[in-house]
Every structure is written in C-alpha cells, then in structure tokens.
Amino acid sequence: MLQTELRTQVLSVLEDPGGFRFKDPILTRYTTEAVRRVSRAVGNTQRRLALSLVQGQQQYLLPASGVARVISVQIIPETGSGNPPHLQQVDLNDIPILLPDDAEPRIYSLDLAAGANADQMGLNMFPAPARSTADAIVVTYEADFVDAVNLPFPSTFDIVLVRLTAAGCLSESDDEASVKKGAFLRMKAEDQLSDISWTDSLSRVNTERAFP
C-alpha cells in the first residue's frame, strides 16, 4: 500500500478528505504508530547490514532511515571462518577507560553521530579495530518502514493501517463521539491483527504438516 493511498483512505474515514481538520503533523504521527504496530504484528522484520572495518576507526554510520532498533553486532573473524562473536552493547558512560589497542572490538554503543551526519545513528566500537576488512561488521536490526513509499505489508493489513491511523487522530479530538469512534476503530483493528496473526500461524502449521 502506498503511503499516499493510506493517507487518502484515512482522511476519508475521518470525513475530512481535504485534510482541513487533520493536518500533516497529526497524520504523520499516527501513521508512524500504525506502521510500527503492524510491523511488530507481521514479524519477520529483521534485516542484516554489512559494514567494512577500518583500522583505527571507532564510529560507523548506520543508514539515516530504515533502522528501528539494533538487535546485535558481530565481527567476522580475520580468518573468515568460525562463528562471528557477538559484541556486548554498553552505554557510552560505561566504556572501560583502558582497552587493548591491538584487540578485536568487543563492545559497542549507539549514539547520534556528530557534525554533518547528526541525523544518523553512530555505531561506536571499542577498542577501535586494528585491521581493515571489507564487510566484516554484521549488524542485525529491526527494520523501520515508516519512510517507505510503498509499505511492504500484505494487502490484508491495509484496513488495519487505516483504522489504527484514524483511531489515533480521533483520540486527540475534543468531541466525545469522535473519541468513542476512535476507540471502536482501534478495537476493530486490534481484533483484525489477532485474526490475521492466528490465521497465518495456522497456515504455517498446516504447511509444515503437509511438507515435513
């Protein structure tokens, strides 16, 4: 479903096709919430990103969009074989003062980058790597589809997205009837999410039984 289609359908449900009462900021806020809610329900949103190790470089930039949460960071061994170890995530304030200069990175922290890339998340690794190796950093993350022009969900979720977004918009209304309508739309959307998730799970079970 295109984001533009989602907004058009939401405004139709809100009986405000011109967007005079429900303007872009409020639509964006609740579209974002709806997309993330459906993403969690759909599951299978984990993605992997490979970054190159650069000798002596401590910070590596993650994409400016599309990353909702970093799940794990691994470093492929210099030999290229073996199970890549997981780095431990720590807060910047908890970074040990003394770390060996010639060791592989063992811990990482996440922080906003500085300067021209201040809108991106920085992956800081300690100690800084003593080698340069292409695609040696493997970042597993939860994808964020908020900025996607075409939302990557099955069409069965279209009405859920519309109802969740409309419900959020109506929750800010001063009119009691509108607030109640929003609560009803949210309840319907959550029920649909449960039904779709249950049907999908049952389908997977039946498939596994048919094709062991």
Side-chain angles (χ1 to χ4, degrees), residues 2 64 73 106 173 189:
L2 294 172
V73 177
R106 296 181 302 178
S173 176

Side-chain angles (χ1 to χ4, degrees), residues 4-17:
T4 52
E5 292 175 341
L6 173 58
R7 288 186 174 231
T8 298
Q9 291 188 32
V10 168
L11 288 173
S12 177
V13 170
L14 294 173
E15 299 178 356
D16 182 27

Side-chain angles (χ1 to χ4, degrees), residues 11 18 37 52 56 72 76 80 82 97 101-102 108 135 139 182 190:
L11 288 173
R37 175 69 185 92
S52 295
S72 68
I76 296 177
I97 297 176
D101 293 331
D102 58 348
Y108 76 94
D135 299 332
V139 180
E190 292 294 344

Side-chain angles (χ1 to χ4, degrees), residues 49-51 57-64 111-114 116-124 137 139:
L49 168 69
L51 302 172
Q57 180 174 317
Q58 201 161 64
Q59 187 176 82
Y60 299 80
L61 295 178
L62 297 178
D111 194 16
L112 287 177
N117 300 304
D119 60 337
Q120 290 182 248
M121 186 65 70
L123 169 66
N124 306 288
I137 307 170
V139 180

Side-chain angles (χ1 to χ4, degrees), residues 13-88:
V13 170
L14 294 173
E15 299 178 356
D16 182 27
F20 298 111
R21 290 186 295 121
F22 298 95
K23 300 188 182 300
D24 281 348
I26 191 171
L27 283 171
T28 298
R29 182 189 319 157
Y30 290 110
T31 297
T32 296
E33 286 188 7
V35 169
R36 288 176 176 164
R37 175 69 185 92
V38 170
S39 292
R40 291 194 299 271
V42 172
N44 194 30
T45 60
Q46 287 191 16
R47 301 287 187 272
R48 282 190 171 180
L49 168 69
L51 302 172
S52 295
L53 270 179
V54 179
Q55 184 177 9
Q57 180 174 317
Q58 201 161 64
Q59 187 176 82
Y60 299 80
L61 295 178
L62 297 178
S65 63
V67 178
R69 179 176 65 91
V70 171
I71 298 171
S72 68
V73 177
Q74 296 169 275
I75 299 292
I76 296 177
E78 191 168 7
T79 59
S81 61
N83 191 31
H86 288 264
L87 275 62
Q88 178 187 358

